[in-house]
């Protein structure tokens, strides 16, 4: 990822993110937790916790001993902390330098964060360091290449309206959105019993405004791109996007969203 591309990856306002991708990331987090099901009474670490969807889901449904979420964005951590259940804490910290002792947790997870880290392999190794022998390390990322219909439609429209948008298209930027690449990353980190699986959720929008307005939030690559271009370009992107959407008779739009999940155990 180049410096120019990073400039558009804005992660600062947790409430704005919740109104955009947050509603779908919570559905994926619940399905991911059902797949892991490592048992109750565990010390859980959420790396790149964002606004807290995964940590809060674990606290609510997995009866953990404790949950610690860490993220580099102070704004996201503040949003997560406002809804923190008992036994759940959130800290501003770097995934590449986790503020926890060696082998201090039973489970380390990461939701929708690996693609945005400068050194994903180092982040996985740092999570491995944080869990005990036999502990679980797991993550999931959006399938930007093939499984995120709304983003594929957005970037196709953006490239039609503005050829310069091609360099920012998430389907090209993020190689970790494929199961083989994720599995190899886990194996190379020394984890065993590595497995991957898709996590699919529906994304249903009441209409074009419900789909478009979150793209104006400024949080993430696509909204960051829109925030940086002139209003005329934004208008052209909206028109091109509207022409691509499968609109039902009642005006609603139903699209698919797929993430790839991976898990493995420390030796």
């Amino acid at each position: 990822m180049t410096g120019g591309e990073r400039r558009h990856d804005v992660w600062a306002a947790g409430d704005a993110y919740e109104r955009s991708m947050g509603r779908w990331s919570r559905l994926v987090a619940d399905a991911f937790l059902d797949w892991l099901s490592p048992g109750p009474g565990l010390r859980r670490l959420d790396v790149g916790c964002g606004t807290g969807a995964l940590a809060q889901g674990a606290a609510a449904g997995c009866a953990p001993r404790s949950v610690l979420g860490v993220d580099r964005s102070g704004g996201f951590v503040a949003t997560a902390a406002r809804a923190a259940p008992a036994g759940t804490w959130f800290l501003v910290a770097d995934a590449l330098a986790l503020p926890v002792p060696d082998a201090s947790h039973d489970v380390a997870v990461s939701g929708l964060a690996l693609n945005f880290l400068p050194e994903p392999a180092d982040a996985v190794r740092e999570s491995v360091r944080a869990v005990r022998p036999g502990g679980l390390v797991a993550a999931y990322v959006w399938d930007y290449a093939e499984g995120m219909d709304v983003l594929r439609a957005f970037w196709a429209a953006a490239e039609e309206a503005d050829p310069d948008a091609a360099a920012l298209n998430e389907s090209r930027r993020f190689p970790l959105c494929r199961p083989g690449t994720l599995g190899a990353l886990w194996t190379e980190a020394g984890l065993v019993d590595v497995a991957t699986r898709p996590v699919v959720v529906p994304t249903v929008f009441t209409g074009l405004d419900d789909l478009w307005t979150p793209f104006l939030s400024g949080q993430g690559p696509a909204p960051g791109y829109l925030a940086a271009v002139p209003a005329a370009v934004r208008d052209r992107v909206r028109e091109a996007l509207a022409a691509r959407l499968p609109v039902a008779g009642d005006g609603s739009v139903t699209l698919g969203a797929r993430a790839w999940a991976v898990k493995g155990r420390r030796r």
Side-chain angles (χ1 to χ4, degrees):
M1 193 184 310
T2 68
E5 290 167 342
R6 284 179 183 277
R7 188 174 63 251
H8 295 86
D9 296 347
V10 180
W11 311 105
D15 291 342
Y17 175 83
E18 281 294 292
R19 292 191 295 271
S20 56
M21 293 304 291
R23 50 184 168 171
W24 317 123
S25 64
R26 290 181 180 274
L27 296 178
V28 174
D30 290 344
F32 173 74
L33 290 169
D34 287 343
W35 179 53
L36 290 188
S37 58
L42 301 179
R43 299 159 297 179
R44 291 174 171 263
L45 177 63
D46 185 349
V47 181
C49 65
T51 54
L54 187 53
Q56 292 159 10
C62 302
R65 177 178 172 183
S66 64
V67 180
L68 173 62
V70 301
D71 198 281
R72 289 186 297 179
S73 169
F76 278 28
V77 166
T79 297
R82 285 201 298 270
T88 304
W89 295 268
F90 294 97
L91 296 174
V92 176
D94 195 325
L96 302 181
L98 296 171
V100 299
D102 294 354
S104 57
H105 287 73
D106 303 295
V107 180
V109 295
S110 180
L112 308 177
L114 282 177
N115 279 311
F116 300 99
L117 299 176
E119 299 293 343
D122 290 346
V124 177
R125 285 191 288 269
E126 180 68 351
S127 288
V128 173
R129 177 193 68 78
V131 301
R132 59 169 173 78
L136 183 66
V137 178
Y140 56 97
V141 296
W142 286 127
D143 182 357
Y144 292 112
E146 298 178 354
M148 287 296 289
D149 291 347
V150 65
L151 290 177
R152 292 183 69 185
F154 172 86
W155 286 114
E159 289 181 34
E160 177 183 325
D162 174 18
D164 290 341
L168 303 170
N169 189 325
E170 290 148 287
S171 69
R172 300 188 182 98
R173 288 174 56 195
F174 298 136
L176 289 180
C177 60
R178 296 171 176 83
T181 310
L182 277 175
L185 189 66
W186 253 238
T187 300
E188 290 164 6
L191 294 159
V192 297
D193 301 327
V194 174
T196 61
R197 64 154 288 180
V199 181
V200 180
V201 298
T203 55
V204 182
F205 304 89
T206 59
L208 177 59
D209 285 345
D210 186 33
L211 186 150
W212 175 254
T213 301
F215 282 117
L216 304 179
S217 68
Q219 303 302 301
Y225 159 75
L226 283 183
V229 298
V233 175
R234 287 196 294 273
D235 291 343
R236 292 201 301 270
V237 174
R238 178 187 168 100
E239 292 172 5
L241 177 60
R244 285 176 161 75
L245 298 176
V247 181
D250 63 357
S252 65
V253 178
T254 299
L255 299 169
R258 180 172 67 194
W260 283 105
V262 60
K263 65 181 178 181
R265 293 195 175 275
R266 179 176 175 178
R267 294 179 185 274

